[in-house]
Amino acid sequence: MDECIFGLFRSNVRDLEAVSQRDLFLAYRELVYRYIYLMLRDHSLTEDVIQEGFIKAMECGPKTKVDSNMKAWLLQVTRRTAIDFIRKNKKYHLIYDLESVMTYERDELRNSTSEMVEKSVQNELLLESFKELTLNQRVILMMRYMEGMSYKEIAKELDINEDALGKRLERAKKTLANLFKGKWGEHHEVR
C-alpha cells in the first residue's frame, strides 16, 4: 500500500485533488519525520526540512525510474535536503539521538536495575561519542547501520568507490569505538 501511495510522486502531484495531496504529504511526513528529527533534534526545523523535501520530491518525482524504490528515494531526497540545510546554516549541527533509535526489551522486568542503569550509561556515552564524529562520519554510519544501505548504494550516493567507502567506514567505526572506550574507561575509573 505504501509503495502504491508513494508511487504518486512519479506523477504530477499538483494535478491531484487537494485531499489526495494532503494524504500523500501525511504519508511522506510519517515516513521521514523520525529520521530527520534524529538528525536535527528540533521539531520546527524538522518540519521545515520535510516541507522543502516534499517540494523537491514533487518536482523530481516524475523523473524517477519506474522500477526505483520510492521509499528509499524519498528518504534520500529528504536526507540530502537536511544536510544541505545544515551546511547552509552553520549554527545547526547534525545531532543524532541514538537513544530514540535503539530498541529496548519490552519486558524490562527481566533486567535487574543495575543492568538497566549500565545499559543506559552505555547508550548515553555512545551518543556523546557519536556527537563528536565529523558530519561525514555520522552520515556514513547512519546510512550503513540505521538505514541498512549496502556499500554499493552508499558509494553511489556519495560518488566514491566502494574501497574508499570501506576505508572511511572503518575509520568512522574505529574513531567511534575509541571515543566510546575513552568515555567508558573514564566512567569506570575507581574514584
Side-chain angles (χ1 to χ4, degrees):
M1 177 65 177
D2 284 344
E3 191 62 37
C4 191
I5 192 164
F6 293 131
L8 291 174
F9 278 104
R10 289 190 180 101
S11 63
N12 187 346
V13 175
R14 289 182 175 92
D15 290 344
L16 297 174
E17 295 177 9
V19 173
S20 297
Q21 287 179 1
R22 183 182 60 83
D23 289 346
L24 182 60
F25 175 78
L26 293 175
Y28 165 77
R29 184 187 181 280
E30 185 177 329
L31 173 70
V32 301
Y33 181 86
R34 182 175 177 191
Y35 180 80
I36 300 305
Y37 184 79
L38 290 173
M39 291 175 73
L40 302 175
R41 293 188 63 198
D42 182 286
H43 174 71
S44 62
L45 294 177
T46 299
E47 291 294 340
D48 290 346
V49 167
I50 289 172
Q51 288 179 13
E52 190 173 329
F54 184 77
I55 291 168
K56 287 181 181 179
M58 284 188 342
E59 292 170 353
C60 299
K63 300 172 191 167
T64 59
K65 295 178 184 174
V66 175
D67 62 343
S68 60
N69 180 335
M70 289 306 288
K71 282 184 176 181
W73 180 78
L74 290 168
L75 282 168
Q76 179 184 32
V77 167
T78 311
R79 179 182 55 251
R80 286 180 178 171
T81 302
I83 291 170
D84 289 346
F85 180 84
I86 292 165
R87 287 181 177 147
K88 288 177 190 172
N89 300 287
K90 295 291 184 188
K91 63 182 176 178
Y92 301 112
H93 303 286
L94 195 58
I95 302 169
Y96 297 101
D97 183 2
L98 292 182
E99 283 184 313
S100 64
V101 177
M102 295 178 178
T103 55
Y104 293 97
E105 297 270 334
R106 293 277 184 225
D107 189 7
E108 290 180 355
L109 298 175
R110 291 185 195 174
N111 296 329
S112 70
T113 303
S114 63
E115 288 173 337
M116 289 185 344
V117 169
E118 185 149 333
K119 184 156 183 83
S120 177
V121 170
Q122 285 177 338
N123 289 342
E124 187 175 315
L125 294 174
L126 182 60
L127 176 61
E128 287 177 19
S129 301
F130 196 80
K131 288 178 183 178
E132 292 178 25
L133 296 174
T134 66
L135 172 66
N136 290 334
Q137 289 173 323
R138 286 184 266 179
V139 168
I140 287 174
L141 288 172
M142 187 170 179
M143 291 168 81
R144 178 70 179 140
Y145 297 106
M146 294 175 73
E147 289 182 44
M149 293 174 70
S150 70
Y151 274 53
K152 186 176 184 176
E153 292 170 323
I154 297 169
K156 182 178 178 184
E157 185 167 329
L158 298 178
D159 196 27
I160 59 176
N161 67 47
E162 289 183 47
D163 290 335
L165 171 64
K167 290 175 185 174
R168 289 182 188 182
L169 190 57
E170 285 305 312
R171 277 194 301 262
K173 289 188 320 189
K174 186 175 181 177
T175 302
L176 180 60
N178 289 335
L179 289 168
F180 176 76
K181 286 176 189 174
K183 291 179 185 312
W184 186 252
E186 289 173 13
H187 180 74
H188 280 85
E189 286 179 5
V190 179
R191 295 181 183 165

Coordinates of all heavy atoms in Angstrom, one line a residue, residues 75-122:
L75 N 13.6 9.0 1.2 CA 14.5 9.2 2.3 C 15.8 9.9 1.9 O 16.3 10.8 2.5 CB 14.8 7.9 3.0 CG 13.7 7.3 3.9 CD1 14.0 5.9 4.3 CD2 13.6 8.2 5.2
Q76 N 16.3 9.5 0.7 CA 17.5 10.1 0.2 C 17.3 11.6 -0.1 O 18.1 12.4 0.2 CB 17.9 9.3 -1.1 CG 19.1 9.9 -1.8 CD 19.4 9.1 -3.1 OE1 18.5 8.7 -3.8 NE2 20.7 9.0 -3.4
V77 N 16.2 11.9 -0.8 CA 15.9 13.3 -1.1 C 15.8 14.1 0.2 O 16.4 15.2 0.3 CB 14.6 13.4 -1.9 CG1 14.1 14.9 -2.0 CG2 14.8 12.9 -3.3
T78 N 15.1 13.6 1.2 CA 14.9 14.3 2.4 C 16.2 14.4 3.2 O 16.5 15.5 3.8 CB 13.8 13.7 3.3 OG1 12.7 13.4 2.4 CG2 13.4 14.6 4.4
R79 N 17.0 13.4 3.2 CA 18.3 13.4 3.9 C 19.2 14.5 3.3 O 19.8 15.3 4.0 CB 19.0 12.1 3.9 CG 20.4 12.1 4.6 CD 21.2 10.8 4.6 NE 21.4 10.3 3.3 CZ 20.7 9.2 2.7 NH1 19.9 8.5 3.5 NH2 21.0 8.8 1.5
R80 N 19.3 14.5 2.0 CA 20.1 15.5 1.3 C 19.6 16.9 1.6 O 20.4 17.8 1.7 CB 20.1 15.2 -0.2 CG 21.0 14.0 -0.6 CD 20.9 13.8 -2.1 NE 21.8 12.7 -2.4 CZ 21.8 12.1 -3.6 NH1 21.1 12.6 -4.6 NH2 22.6 11.1 -3.9
T81 N 18.3 17.1 1.6 CA 17.7 18.4 2.0 C 18.1 18.8 3.4 O 18.5 19.9 3.6 CB 16.2 18.3 1.9 OG1 15.8 17.9 0.5 CG2 15.5 19.6 2.2
A82 N 18.1 17.9 4.3 CA 18.5 18.2 5.7 C 20.0 18.5 5.7 O 20.4 19.5 6.4 CB 18.2 17.0 6.6
I83 N 20.8 17.8 5.0 CA 22.3 18.0 5.0 C 22.6 19.4 4.4 O 23.4 20.2 4.9 CB 23.0 16.9 4.4 CG1 23.0 15.6 5.3 CG2 24.5 17.3 4.1 CD1 23.5 14.4 4.6
D84 N 21.9 19.7 3.3 CA 22.0 21.0 2.7 C 21.6 22.1 3.6 O 22.3 23.1 3.7 CB 21.2 21.1 1.4 CG 21.8 20.2 0.2 OD1 22.9 19.8 0.3 OD2 21.0 20.0 -0.7
F85 N 20.5 21.9 4.3 CA 20.1 22.9 5.3 C 21.1 23.1 6.4 O 21.4 24.2 6.7 CB 18.8 22.4 5.9 CG 18.2 23.3 6.9 CD1 17.4 24.4 6.5 CD2 18.4 23.1 8.3 CE1 16.9 25.3 7.5 CE2 17.9 24.0 9.2 CZ 17.1 25.1 8.8
I86 N 21.7 22.0 6.9 CA 22.7 22.1 7.9 C 23.9 22.9 7.4 O 24.5 23.7 8.1 CB 23.1 20.7 8.5 CG1 21.9 20.1 9.2 CG2 24.3 20.8 9.4 CD1 22.0 18.7 9.5
R87 N 24.4 22.5 6.2 CA 25.6 23.2 5.6 C 25.3 24.7 5.4 O 26.2 25.5 5.6 CB 26.0 22.5 4.4 CG 26.6 21.1 4.6 CD 27.0 20.5 3.3 NE 27.7 19.2 3.6 CZ 27.6 18.1 2.8 NH1 26.9 18.2 1.7 NH2 28.2 17.0 3.2
K88 N 24.1 25.0 5.0 CA 23.8 26.4 4.7 C 23.7 27.2 6.0 O 23.9 28.4 6.1 CB 22.5 26.5 4.0 CG 22.6 26.1 2.5 CD 21.3 26.2 1.8 CE 21.3 25.6 0.5 NZ 19.9 25.5 -0.1
N89 N 23.2 26.5 7.1 CA 23.0 27.2 8.4 C 24.0 26.6 9.4 O 23.7 25.7 10.1 CB 21.6 26.9 8.8 CG 20.6 27.5 7.9 OD1 20.4 28.7 7.8 ND2 19.9 26.6 7.1
K90 N 25.2 27.1 9.4 CA 26.3 26.5 10.2 C 26.0 26.5 11.7 O 26.6 25.8 12.5 CB 27.6 27.3 10.0 CG 28.1 27.3 8.6 CD 28.6 25.9 8.3 CE 29.2 25.8 6.9 NZ 29.6 24.5 6.5
K91 N 25.0 27.3 12.2 CA 24.7 27.3 13.6 C 24.0 26.0 14.0 O 23.9 25.7 15.2 CB 23.8 28.5 14.0 CG 22.4 28.5 13.4 CD 21.7 29.8 13.8 CE 20.4 29.8 13.1 NZ 19.6 31.0 13.5
Y92 N 23.5 25.2 13.1 CA 22.9 23.9 13.4 C 24.0 22.8 13.2 O 24.8 22.8 12.3 CB 21.7 23.6 12.5 CG 20.7 24.7 12.7 CD1 20.4 25.5 11.6 CD2 20.0 24.9 13.8 CE1 19.4 26.5 11.7 CE2 19.0 25.9 14.0 CZ 18.8 26.7 12.9 OH 17.9 27.7 13.0
H93 N 23.9 21.8 14.1 CA 24.8 20.7 14.0 C 24.0 19.4 13.8 O 22.9 19.3 14.2 CB 25.6 20.5 15.3 CG 26.4 21.8 15.6 ND1 27.5 22.1 15.0 CD2 26.1 22.7 16.6 CE1 27.9 23.2 15.5 NE2 27.1 23.6 16.5
L94 N 24.6 18.5 13.1 CA 24.0 17.2 12.9 C 24.1 16.4 14.2 O 25.1 16.0 14.6 CB 24.6 16.5 11.7 CG 23.9 15.3 11.1 CD1 22.5 15.7 10.6 CD2 24.7 14.7 10.0
I95 N 23.0 16.2 14.8 CA 22.9 15.5 16.1 C 22.0 14.4 16.0 O 20.8 14.5 15.7 CB 22.5 16.5 17.2 CG1 23.4 17.7 17.3 CG2 22.4 15.8 18.5 CD1 22.8 18.8 18.1
Y96 N 22.5 13.2 16.3 CA 21.6 12.0 16.3 C 21.3 11.6 17.8 O 22.2 11.6 18.6 CB 22.3 10.9 15.6 CG 22.6 11.1 14.2 CD1 23.9 11.5 13.8 CD2 21.6 11.1 13.3 CE1 24.2 11.8 12.5 CE2 21.9 11.3 11.9 CZ 23.1 11.7 11.5 OH 23.4 11.9 10.2
D97 N 20.1 11.4 18.0 CA 19.7 10.9 19.3 C 19.6 9.4 19.2 O 18.5 8.8 18.9 CB 18.3 11.5 19.7 CG 17.9 11.1 21.1 OD1 18.6 10.4 21.8 OD2 16.8 11.5 21.5
L98 N 20.7 8.7 19.4 CA 20.7 7.3 19.3 C 19.8 6.6 20.3 O 19.2 5.5 20.0 CB 22.1 6.7 19.5 CG 23.1 7.1 18.4 CD1 24.5 6.5 18.7 CD2 22.7 6.7 17.1
E99 N 19.6 7.2 21.4 CA 18.7 6.5 22.4 C 17.3 6.3 21.8 O 16.6 5.3 22.1 CB 18.6 7.3 23.7 CG 19.8 7.2 24.6 CD 19.6 7.9 25.9 OE1 19.2 9.1 25.8 OE2 19.9 7.3 26.9
S100 N 16.8 7.3 21.0 CA 15.5 7.2 20.5 C 15.4 6.2 19.3 O 14.3 5.8 18.9 CB 14.9 8.6 20.0 OG 15.7 9.1 19.0
V101 N 16.6 5.8 18.8 CA 16.6 4.9 17.7 C 16.7 3.5 18.2 O 16.2 2.5 17.6 CB 17.8 5.2 16.7 CG1 17.9 4.2 15.6 CG2 17.6 6.6 16.1
M102 N 17.4 3.3 19.3 CA 17.7 2.0 19.9 C 16.4 1.4 20.4 O 15.5 2.1 20.9 CB 18.7 2.1 21.0 CG 20.0 2.5 20.5 SD 21.1 2.6 21.9 CE 22.6 3.1 21.1
T103 N 16.3 0.1 20.2 CA 15.1 -0.6 20.7 C 15.4 -1.3 22.0 O 16.5 -1.8 22.2 CB 14.6 -1.7 19.7 OG1 15.7 -2.5 19.5 CG2 14.1 -1.0 18.4
Y104 N 14.5 -1.2 22.9 CA 14.7 -1.8 24.2 C 13.8 -3.0 24.4 O 12.8 -3.2 23.8 CB 14.3 -0.8 25.3 CG 15.3 0.4 25.4 CD1 15.0 1.6 24.8 CD2 16.4 0.3 26.1 CE1 15.8 2.6 24.8 CE2 17.3 1.3 26.2 CZ 17.0 2.5 25.5 OH 17.9 3.6 25.6
E105 N 14.2 -3.9 25.3 CA 13.4 -5.1 25.6 C 12.1 -4.6 26.1 O 12.0 -3.7 27.0 CB 14.1 -5.9 26.6 CG 15.4 -6.5 26.2 CD 15.3 -7.8 25.6 OE1 14.3 -8.5 25.9 OE2 16.1 -8.2 24.8
R106 N 11.0 -5.2 25.7 CA 9.7 -4.9 26.2 C 9.5 -5.3 27.6 O 8.8 -4.7 28.4 CB 8.6 -5.6 25.3 CG 8.5 -5.1 23.9 CD 7.7 -3.8 23.9 NE 7.6 -3.4 22.5 CZ 7.8 -2.1 22.1 NH1 8.0 -1.2 23.0 NH2 7.6 -1.8 20.9
D107 N 10.1 -6.4 28.0 CA 10.0 -6.9 29.3 C 11.2 -6.5 30.2 O 12.1 -7.3 30.4 CB 9.9 -8.4 29.3 CG 9.5 -9.0 30.6 OD1 9.2 -8.2 31.5 OD2 9.5 -10.3 30.7
E108 N 11.2 -5.2 30.6 CA 12.3 -4.7 31.4 C 12.4 -5.3 32.8 O 13.4 -5.2 33.4 CB 12.2 -3.2 31.5 CG 12.5 -2.5 30.2 CD 12.4 -1.0 30.3 OE1 12.0 -0.5 31.3 OE2 12.6 -0.3 29.2
L109 N 11.3 -6.0 33.2 CA 11.3 -6.6 34.5 C 12.3 -7.7 34.6 O 12.8 -8.0 35.7 CB 9.9 -7.1 34.8 CG 8.8 -6.1 34.9 CD1 7.5 -6.7 35.2 CD2 9.1 -5.1 36.0
R110 N 12.7 -8.3 33.4 CA 13.7 -9.4 33.5 C 15.1 -8.8 33.8 O 15.9 -9.5 34.3 CB 13.7 -10.1 32.1 CG 12.5 -10.9 31.8 CD 12.7 -11.6 30.5 NE 11.4 -12.1 30.1 CZ 11.2 -12.7 28.9 NH1 12.3 -12.9 28.1 NH2 10.1 -13.1 28.6
N111 N 15.3 -7.6 33.4 CA 16.6 -7.0 33.7 C 16.7 -6.4 35.1 O 15.8 -5.8 35.6 CB 16.9 -5.8 32.7 CG 17.0 -6.3 31.3 OD1 17.4 -7.4 31.0 ND2 16.6 -5.5 30.3
S112 N 17.8 -6.6 35.7 CA 18.0 -6.1 37.0 C 18.2 -4.6 36.9 O 18.5 -4.1 35.8 CB 19.2 -6.7 37.7 OG 20.4 -6.3 37.1
T113 N 18.0 -3.9 38.0 CA 18.1 -2.4 38.0 C 19.5 -2.0 37.6 O 19.7 -1.1 36.8 CB 17.8 -1.8 39.3 OG1 16.5 -2.2 39.7 CG2 17.9 -0.3 39.3
S114 N 20.5 -2.7 38.1 CA 21.9 -2.4 37.7 C 22.2 -2.6 36.3 O 22.9 -1.8 35.7 CB 22.9 -3.2 38.6 OG 22.8 -4.6 38.3
E115 N 21.7 -3.6 35.6 CA 21.9 -3.8 34.2 C 21.2 -2.7 33.4 O 21.8 -2.3 32.4 CB 21.3 -5.2 33.8 CG 22.1 -6.4 34.3 CD 21.4 -7.7 34.0 OE1 20.1 -7.7 33.8 OE2 22.1 -8.7 33.9
M116 N 20.0 -2.3 33.8 CA 19.3 -1.2 33.1 C 20.1 0.1 33.2 O 20.2 0.8 32.3 CB 17.9 -1.1 33.6 CG 17.0 -2.2 33.2 SD 15.2 -2.1 33.7 CE 15.1 -0.9 34.9
V117 N 20.6 0.3 34.4 CA 21.4 1.6 34.6 C 22.7 1.5 33.8 O 23.0 2.5 33.1 CB 21.8 1.8 36.1 CG1 22.8 2.9 36.3 CG2 20.5 2.1 36.9
E118 N 23.4 0.4 33.8 CA 24.6 0.2 33.0 C 24.3 0.4 31.5 O 25.0 1.1 30.8 CB 25.2 -1.1 33.2 CG 26.6 -1.2 32.5 CD 27.6 -2.1 33.2 OE1 27.5 -2.2 34.4 OE2 28.4 -2.6 32.5
K119 N 23.2 -0.2 31.0 CA 22.9 0.0 29.6 C 22.5 1.4 29.3 O 22.9 1.9 28.2 CB 21.7 -0.9 29.2 CG 21.3 -0.9 27.8 CD 20.6 -2.2 27.4 CE 20.3 -2.2 25.9 NZ 21.4 -2.7 25.1
S120 N 21.9 2.1 30.2 CA 21.5 3.5 30.0 C 22.8 4.3 29.9 O 22.9 5.2 29.1 CB 20.6 4.0 31.1 OG 20.3 5.3 31.0
V121 N 23.7 4.1 30.8 CA 25.0 4.8 30.8 C 25.8 4.5 29.5 O 26.3 5.4 28.9 CB 25.8 4.4 32.0 CG1 27.3 5.0 31.9 CG2 25.2 4.9 33.3
Q122 N 25.8 3.3 29.1 CA 26.4 2.9 27.8 C 25.8 3.7 26.6 O 26.6 4.2 25.8 CB 26.3 1.4 27.5 CG 27.2 0.6 28.3 CD 27.0 -0.9 28.1 OE1 26.0 -1.3 27.6 NE2 28.0 -1.7 28.4

